[in-house]
C-alpha cells in the first residue's frame, strides 16, 4: 500500500517514500508513505488558500452533510479502522476500535455544531445603535499531529476546523501514516470541495516547519512534544499567527488512606499502563499516603505483573508494544536512571516474544522522590513511579510540583478532599476516583503550565481557536 499525499482533491505520489512498520511484528510492513518536500507543502497550502473563501461561505447544511458523512463512515468501519490503528501504532485492538469510534463521534458532534453556530446581538450603550458579535473562519489552518492517537487527534482538529469554515492542511506524524490516509480517503468521498482538506506526509522538521512558517497559514494547531511545541510557539509569534499547543504531561494520581483500594488500583493500572503508557494523560506519578501505601504498592505491583503483554491484534492482550525502537530504548533508559537514582524497580525489562517487536514489561518504580528524573520528565511509556506522602496536604504539594499541568487525579472517599483537589490541582483536567486518562469528546480538553498553550480543544470551546470574533455596529 502506498500512502499518497492528498492535494487539491488529487492523490499524489512522491519520488521518495518511507516504510510503515508494525511495532508488534517488525516483519509486517503495512505500506510506504510519501516523503514530501517543501514544494508539495507549498502546493497544499495554495490549494487550501484558494478553496478557503467558498468553504467559508458554505451553508451550515453543506458543512453538516460533509461532517455527518465522515462521522457515519468512520463509525460504520470502526472495527476495520481500529485494526489498522492497532497494527500501525501498537495499542490493543479494543483500544484501537475504541479510538476509531471516538473519531466518528467527534465528527458527529461537530456536524451538529455546524447547525448551532450563533453570535450575540446587543443594544449599544449609544442610543439607536445595534451591536452584533459574530464569529468568522480564520482561513487556512495547519494541523500537526502526533502518533499516539493517530485517528482521534487528527479528527478532533479536522472536524472543528471544517465545521467553523476553515481550509485545512494536515501534517500527520511520520510513524502513523496509514491512519491519516484512511481518514483522508473517507474525507475525499464526503462531498467536501477540492482543496478544503489537504494531507501532506513527510518529516516534521522539514514540511512541518514549512507549514508553521508559511505566510498564507493563519493558524497552527499542534499536538506533540514540549520541545517541538516551544519552537512552533516562537515561529507563530514571529508570523503573528494563532497557535494552539497540546504537549506533554507528568500527571499525578493521589491515593489517600480513605480510598477504595480496588478502585485506586484499577484507576492506576489503567491510567499508567493501558495504551502502553503512550498517553499524554497517563498517570505517571502515583502519590500515596502512608496509611495505604504498602497495601497499594503490593496490589498494584501484582496487578501490573499480571497484565498480558503481546501482539496488539492478539485476543486477550492488555498491553501492546512501544511504538518503535527509539521509544522502547527511551523507556528502558528511564527505568535504568530511576534505579541508579535509588528507586526500587519492579518489571521494566525488555521482553522477547515469538515475533520480533518493541516489547517491554510494564514498570513500577517505588520509593522515589519528586526531584528524581523519573518524576520530572515525561517517559511516554508503561512506567509509573510511586512517592510517599504524609497526608493530603503534602500529596497536593507534590502533585503540583511539576512543570506540567495536563491531568491530575485523586482517589478518595472524602468529599472534602475531592472538592479541595478539584479547586487546587494545577491541571486543566481533574479526575476523582477515575484514571487521569480517558475523557469525553463533548467538553474541553487541555492543560495548564508547560502542557498546553492557547485556546482549549474539543467541545464548543473549539470555536475559540477556529474562529475570529468580529464586532459590528449599525445605526439603522
Ligand atoms: P513530536 O513533537 O516529535 O511530533 C509531533 C508532530 O510534530 C509530528 O507530526 C512531527 O512530525 C511534527 N514536528 C516535528 N518537528 C517539527 C517542527 N520543527 N515543526 C513542525 N512540526 C514538527 O511528538 P510525538 O513524538 O509525535 O508525540 C509524543 C508527544 O506528544 C508526547 O510528548 C505527548 O505527551 C504529546 N501528546 C500530547 C497530547 C496532548 O493533548 N497534550 C496528546 C498526545 C500526545
Amino acid at each position: 500500500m502506498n500512502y499518497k499525499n492528498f492535494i487539491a482533491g488529487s492523490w499524489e505520489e512522491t519520488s521518495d517514500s518511507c516504510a510503515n512498520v508494525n511495532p508488534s511484528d517488525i516483519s509486517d510492513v503495512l505500506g510506504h508513505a510519501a516523503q514530501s518536500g517543501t514544494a508539495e507543502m507549498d502546493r497544499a497550502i495554495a490549494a487550501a488558500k484558494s478553496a478557503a473563501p467558498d468553504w467559508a461561505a458554505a451553508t451550515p447544511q453543506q458543512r453538516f452533510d460533509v461532517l455527518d458523512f465522515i462521522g457515519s463512515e468512520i463509525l460504520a468501519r470502526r472495527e476495520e479502522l481500529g485494526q489498522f490503528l492497532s497494527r500501525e501504532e501498537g495499542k490493543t485492538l479494543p483500544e484501537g476500535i475504541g479510538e476509531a469510534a471516538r473519531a466518528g463521534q467527534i465528527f458527529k458532534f461537530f456536524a451538529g455544531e455546524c447547525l448551532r453556530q450563533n453570535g450575540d446581538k446587543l443594544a449599544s450603550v449609544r442610543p439607536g445603535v445595534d451591536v452584533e458579535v459574530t464569529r468568522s473562519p480564520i482561513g487556512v489552518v495547519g494541523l500537526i499531529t502526533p502518533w499516539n492517537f493517530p485517528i482521534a487527534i487528527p479528527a478532533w482538529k479536522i472536524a472543528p476546523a471544517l465545521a467553523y469554515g476553515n481550509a485545512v492542511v494536515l501534517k500527520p506524524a511520520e510513524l502513523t501514516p496509514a491512519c491519516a490516509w484512511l481518514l483522508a480517503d473517507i474525507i475525499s468521498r464526503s462531498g467536501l470541495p477540492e482543496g478544503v482538506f489537504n494531507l501532506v506526509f513527510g518529516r516534521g522538521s522539514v514540511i512541518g516547519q514549512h507549514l508553521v512558517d508559511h505566510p498564507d497559514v493563519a493558524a497552527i494547531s499542534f499536538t506533540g512534544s514540549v520541545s517541538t511545541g516551544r519552537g512552533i510557539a516562537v515561529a507563530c509569534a514571529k508570523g503573528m499567527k494563532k497557535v494552539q499547543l497540546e504537549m506533554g504531561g507528568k500527571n499525578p494520581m493521589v491515593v489517600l488512606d480513605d480510598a477504595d483500594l480496588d478502585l485506586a488500583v484499577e484507576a492506576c493500572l489503567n491510567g499508567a499502563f493501558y495504551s502502553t503508557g503512550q498517553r499524554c494523560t497517563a498517570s505517571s506519578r502515583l502519590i500515596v499516603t502512608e496509611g495505604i501505601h504498602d497495601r497499594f504498592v503490593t496490589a498494584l505491583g501484582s496487578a501490573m505483573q499480571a497484565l498480558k503483554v503481546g501482539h496488539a491484534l492478539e485476543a486477550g492482550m492488555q498491553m501492546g508494544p512501544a511504538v518503535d525502537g527509539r521509544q522502547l530504548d527511551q523507556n528502558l533508559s528511564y527505568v535504568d536512571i530511576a534505579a541508579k537514582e535509588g528507586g526500587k524497580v519492579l518489571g521494566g525489562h525488555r521482553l522477547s516474544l515469538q515475533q520480533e517487536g518493541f516489547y517491554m514489561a510494564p514498570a513500577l518504580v517505588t520509593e522515589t522522590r519528586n526531584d528524581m528524573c523519573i518524576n520530572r520528565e515525561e517517559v511516554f511509556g508503561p512506567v509509573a513511579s510511586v512517592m510517599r506522602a504524609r497526608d493530603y496536604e503534602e500529596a497536593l504539594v507534590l502533585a503540583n510540583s511539576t512543570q506540567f499541568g495536563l491531568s491530575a487525579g485523586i482517589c478518595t472517599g472524602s468529599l472534602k478532599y475531592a472538592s479541595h483537589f478539584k479547586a487546587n490541582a494545577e491541571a486543566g483536567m481533574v479526575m476523582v476516583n477515575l484514571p487521569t486518562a480517558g475523557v469525553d469528546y463533548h467538553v474541553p480538553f487541555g492543560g495548564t503550565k508547560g502542557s498546553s498553550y492557547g485556546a482549549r480543544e474539543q467541545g464548543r470551546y473549539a470555536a475559540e481557536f477556529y474562529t475570529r470574533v468580529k464586532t459590528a455596529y449599525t445605526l439603522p
Side-chain angles (χ1 to χ4, degrees), residues 36 78 96 124 130 179 234 239 245 268 275-276 293 298 320 325 344-345 351 356 365 384 396 421 460 465-466:
S36 319
R78 66 176 79 178
S124 166
D130 281 340
C179 287
V234 171
L245 309 173
C268 293
S275 299
T276 321
H293 178 276
T298 306
K344 237 176 87 184
V345 179
L351 291 176
E356 197 181 335
V365 188
L396 178 65
F421 191 77
R460 303 199 76 178
F465 179 73
Y466 289 102

Side-chain angles (χ1 to χ4, degrees), residues 144-149 153 156 171-174 202-210 212 222-229 232 246-249 279-280 326-327 378 380 406 445 451-452 457:
I144 302 176
T145 54
W147 48 263
N148 67 325
F149 283 95
I153 293 180
W156 82 49
K171 206 309 275 172
E174 291 90 319
R203 290 187 42 207
S205 54
V206 180
I207 60 161
Q209 190 65 50
H210 195 62
V212 169
F222 165 85
T223 301
S225 61
V226 174
S227 57
T228 311
I232 289 176
E246 288 299 342
M247 300 170 285
R279 295 190 284 192
C280 50
R326 200 190 54 83
Q327 184 64 51
E378 183 183 47
F380 219 53
L406 190 55
F445 177 97
S451 290
S452 303
E457 298 203 78

Side-chain angles (χ1 to χ4, degrees), residues 23-24 28 89 140 169 187 251 255 418 469:
S24 295
D28 176 25
E89 195 266 354
V140 177
V169 178
I187 294 172
N251 309 291
V255 179
V469 170

Side-chain angles (χ1 to χ4, degrees), residues 9-31:
S10 303
W11 295 100
E12 296 187 5
E13 236 160 335
T14 52
S15 51
D16 228 6
S17 70
C18 184
N20 183 17
V21 175
N22 178 349
S24 295
D25 175 359
I26 60 171
S27 68
D28 176 25
V29 176
L30 285 82

